[in-house]
Amino acid sequence: MLRRRIKPDNYTYPFLLNSCASLSVLDQGIEIHGRVIRTGFGSYIPVSNALIDMYGKYSARVLFDSMPERNLVSWTAMITGYAQNGRPNEALELFRGMEKARIKPDAVTMTGVISASAQLGGLELANWIGSYVDRERIERNDKVLTALIDMHAKCGNMEEACRLFKEIPCPDVFSYSALITGLASHGHGFRALEMFHEMQEKGIEPDNITFVGVLTACSHTGLVEDGLRFWERMVEDYKIEPGADHYACIIDMLGRAGRLNEAHEMVKSMPMGPHPGALGALLAACRTYGNVEIAECIAKPLIKLEPENTGNYMLLASIYASEERWDDAAKVRAAMKEKKVNKLPGCSWFEVDGTVHGHGFLVKR
């Protein structure tokens, strides 16, 4: 188009910028952004929205704040960007700003807001968000309901999560996975497996998130053989490549059952290398079953991965102490002092408007 000397306009640039965003080619996106500035199209809202979307993983807030006018799409893109990149407090702060600007959110906006609330895990906040959806008559489509299920499940309110699940006429893999994972994580392992079987009976194919929930359920209910069979089915039948979370679940399951050698072999077979979740689960099992040999093998890589995690040091010292190896326990504590790793002090936590605080300091999770 440029070689033919046809000038782009305000309709051309959003398509170009969206392509850069989807392909994650930031350098080309910056070049196009320069053209936008030089040609004076930066003041067009669709162009600005496309730029926000492209920079969502990098420097989007500066651009958002410089916009002379913001519409629903602009606010939604920014809120969703924060939620998807693990910055829930900023997402909720922006949502409050959107309310002050008297721009009514829609279902897409609220999906991002609910996702941010789920990451914070505050029950009071979750209940407020649920009430807001009802009060503002937000469309309760499948995506909104699934996000609400995930939020309440992560807050431990499984009764509400199950109620919301029943509102979905035709649940899909995402809604089933949210409920299964929540049930498995909050002491309802058998119910989680029932939901998994129901999902299969309806012909809904599970994904990698579903199997995290299924393996967690098997771990917490002691169904080791079932868990191993589900692992095989995941790999062989559904062609899902196990990720770090799947390995952590299966290692935790084997460790809880006292099958430490199998768990250790599983750790060594992880293609992505040592993972803190898997190593931590096995170290905890070594404490339960008094296996010093394996504990010593995994403690060094675990501490290397998480040098500031005091729990790993204390766990290893406790394992040595339980075997009356006082000198080794003292060496671990000395290593903590040498590396200036201190035990975390006890503290209480409270939540204000979706922000978690403790003893006078702000904690952003």
Side-chain angles (χ1 to χ4, degrees):
M1 180 177 178
L2 294 175
R3 281 196 298 269
R4 294 185 180 187
R5 300 190 178 183
I6 300 173
K7 293 183 178 181
D9 60 11
N10 58 306
Y11 294 102
T12 312
Y13 286 113
F15 290 110
L16 290 170
L17 293 166
N18 290 336
S19 297
C20 292
S22 63
L23 295 172
S24 298
V25 284
L26 184 61
D27 289 344
Q28 293 181 47
I30 292 172
E31 181 183 343
I32 293 170
H33 188 183
R35 287 181 177 273
V36 167
I37 294 171
R38 290 194 300 273
T39 53
F41 288 108
S43 61
Y44 287 82
I45 289 180
V47 177
S48 296
N49 288 340
L51 282 166
I52 288 173
D53 182 59
M54 184 189 72
Y55 283 117
K57 296 178 182 177
Y58 312 99
S59 54
R61 185 60 183 268
V62 173
L63 183 62
F64 176 82
D65 289 339
S66 69
M67 290 181 69
E69 183 183 353
R70 304 172 193 133
N71 62 5
L72 175 61
V73 178
S74 313
W75 287 97
T76 300
M78 198 69 238
I79 290 169
T80 304
Y82 275 132
Q84 290 177 345
N85 286 277
R87 298 170 67 178
N89 281 325
E90 288 96 329
L92 294 177
E93 178 189 3
L94 209 61
F95 176 57
R96 286 189 281 269
M98 181 179 176
E99 285 190 293
K100 290 178 181 177
R102 299 193 176 183
I103 296 178
K104 181 178 172 60
D106 63 5
V108 179
T109 315
M110 289 311 300
T111 300
V113 172
I114 296 165
S115 174
S117 304
Q119 293 174 48
L120 290 169
L123 184 58
E124 185 178 346
L125 174 62
N127 289 334
W128 182 85
I129 291 291
S131 299
Y132 182 93
V133 169
D134 293 336
R135 185 174 66 251
E136 298 299 321
R137 300 180 182 276
I138 303 296
E139 180 190 0
R140 297 169 72 87
N141 60 31
D142 289 358
K143 288 186 178 180
V144 169
L145 287 170
T146 298
L148 286 170
I149 291 167
D150 181 60
M151 177 184 71
H152 284 291
K154 286 179 178 174
C155 296
N157 189 356
M158 294 313 304
E159 183 178 350
E160 179 65 8
C162 291
R163 187 190 70 77
L164 289 164
F165 183 83
K166 292 177 182 177
E167 286 190 36
I168 302 179
C170 298
D172 60 9
V173 62
F174 302 107
S175 47
Y176 266 107
S177 295
L179 187 60
I180 289 169
T181 303
L183 288 167
S185 300
H186 293 285
H188 305 282
F190 290 110
R191 177 62 177 147
L193 294 176
E194 286 177 9
M195 295 303 297
F196 178 64
H197 292 308
E198 178 185 303
M199 174 183 174
Q200 289 185 302
E201 288 172 1
K202 291 184 177 181
I204 300 172
E205 186 168 311
D207 62 9
N208 62 322
I209 303 299
T210 316
F211 276 105
V212 170
V214 169
L215 294 173
T216 300
C218 291
S219 177
H220 291 185
T221 54
L223 299 175
V224 180
E225 297 305 323
D226 287 337
L228 293 173
R229 280 193 292 270
F230 284 130
W231 174 275
E232 290 179 4
R233 289 187 59 194
M234 178 182 75
V235 175
E236 295 177 7
D237 297 345
Y238 295 103
K239 309 301 179 187
I240 296 174
E241 183 176 349
D245 290 337
H246 300 109
Y247 276 99
C249 289
I250 206 79
I251 289 165
D252 179 57
M253 181 185 73
L254 291 168
R256 286 171 183 257
R259 295 164 65 166
L260 301 186
N261 289 328
E262 293 175 67
H264 191 206
E265 290 301 315
M266 185 70 76
V267 166
K268 291 189 287 187
S269 72
M270 293 177 68
M272 68 288 297
H275 180 265
L279 293 174
L282 183 52
L283 188 62
C286 288
R287 170 66 181 87
T288 301
Y289 291 97
N291 193 314
V292 180
E293 182 181 355
I294 294 179
E296 289 179 325
C297 289
I298 64 174
K300 187 175 181 179
L302 178 57
I303 289 172
K304 187 176 181 180
L305 287 168
E306 296 183 326
E308 302 301 321
N309 188 334
T310 59
N312 297 329
Y313 292 92
M314 299 307 296
L315 200 53
L316 181 60
S318 177
I319 292 170
Y320 281 133
S322 66
E323 297 296 312
E324 299 185 355
R325 292 175 56 172
W326 309 115
D327 290 344
D328 290 324
K331 287 178 183 177
V332 174
R333 295 191 179 94
M336 287 180 62
K337 290 182 179 180
E338 183 181 345
K339 296 179 180 180
K340 297 182 180 179
V341 180
N342 298 315
K343 287 199 295 184
L344 291 175
C347 59
S348 59
W349 306 90
F350 60 95
E351 178 186 318
V352 178
D353 293 333
T355 300
V356 182
H357 302 258
H359 286 310
F361 56 87
L362 177 65
V363 178
K364 291 187 177 180
R365 297 192 292 186

